[in-house]
Amino acid sequence: MSNAVAEWLLGAAEDKEAARVSWQQPGGTTYLPCGGRFSAVRIPAGLVWEVLNTHDERHIDHFLRLWFYDGAVILDRDYSWYYCLVPPASEWPTKWAHLGVEYLGPGAEICVPLPTRTEPRGHGYWPVPMVSPGALCRVEQVEILVALRNIRLLRKGPAARAAATPATRP
């Protein structure tokens, strides 16, 4: 990953030097705001594991690199969240909220690992590294990945769908 990617990401920081210093601390992460250079779609890791039927980070990373070949994805290992970086002001359907999937725009911030952290270690890393400044996931790719969870449920049958569907209240 180039210094150009790091500089592009730092362009989102309110205090570039503080963010740069934070990347150099143990853990190698900094918080960057969403809604300016990028926004994010936060997906529970369990949903991705369910879609791919595995917890093996190497297999998941390989799939995500193929799926989001020109995007950027962060895994927060402490909280088990995937963050798909998307263009700011992207439209995100609310129909996925019941799955814990959330669009993060202005007013939100995410924990961003040092851009060279591309291996599964520490608090977080880039399973899909940003290959060039501003290379972001397409929202359609993110939505299809989330929709694959429902396709897997359809294949499992009505009992699995009922167990996975939250109860509705009157």
Side-chain angles (χ1 to χ4, degrees):
M1 194 167 306
S2 71
N3 284 337
V5 168
E7 289 304 315
W8 186 86
L9 288 165
L10 287 171
E14 292 177 23
D15 182 341
K16 281 185 179 185
E17 194 51 39
R20 191 183 322 273
V21 168
S22 184
W23 269 341
Q24 301 311 315
Q25 301 303 311
T29 61
T30 193
Y31 283 90
L32 295 177
C34 296
R37 293 215 164 203
F38 60 85
S39 288
V41 176
R42 183 176 67 189
I43 302 172
L47 186 145
V48 176
W49 301 337
E50 186 177 351
V51 167
L52 299 177
N53 198 31
T54 184
H55 289 84
D56 185 319
E57 286 181 326
R58 290 172 297 138
H59 293 299
I60 293 168
D61 293 356
H62 180 72
F63 171 84
L64 292 174
R65 284 182 181 143
L66 292 173
W67 189 258
F68 296 113
Y69 56 90
D70 58 351
V73 179
I74 296 168
L75 174 59
D76 181 327
R77 297 177 84 207
D78 290 340
Y79 295 99
S80 296
W81 293 108
Y82 283 95
Y83 293 92
C84 299
L85 302 188
V86 296
S90 297
E91 292 293 321
W92 182 255
T94 58
K95 66 184 172 189
W96 304 116
H98 70 284
L99 298 175
V101 178
E102 185 178 0
Y103 175 80
L104 304 173
E109 62 181 20
I110 61 172
C111 187
V112 178
L114 183 65
T116 55
R117 285 186 167 255
T118 58
E119 297 297 322
R121 61 182 163 83
H123 300 292
Y125 72 102
W126 295 83
V128 183
M130 185 178 285
V131 294
S132 62
L136 302 171
C137 298
R138 292 192 306 274
V139 173
E140 298 81 10
Q141 289 173 297
V142 180
E143 187 171 7
I144 291 169
L145 176 65
V146 173
L148 287 173
R149 183 254 187 196
N150 289 345
I151 292 169
R152 284 192 53 81
L153 283 178
L154 285 173
R155 294 181 69 202
K156 288 181 178 182
R161 287 193 304 276
T165 304
T168 57
R169 295 187 177 153

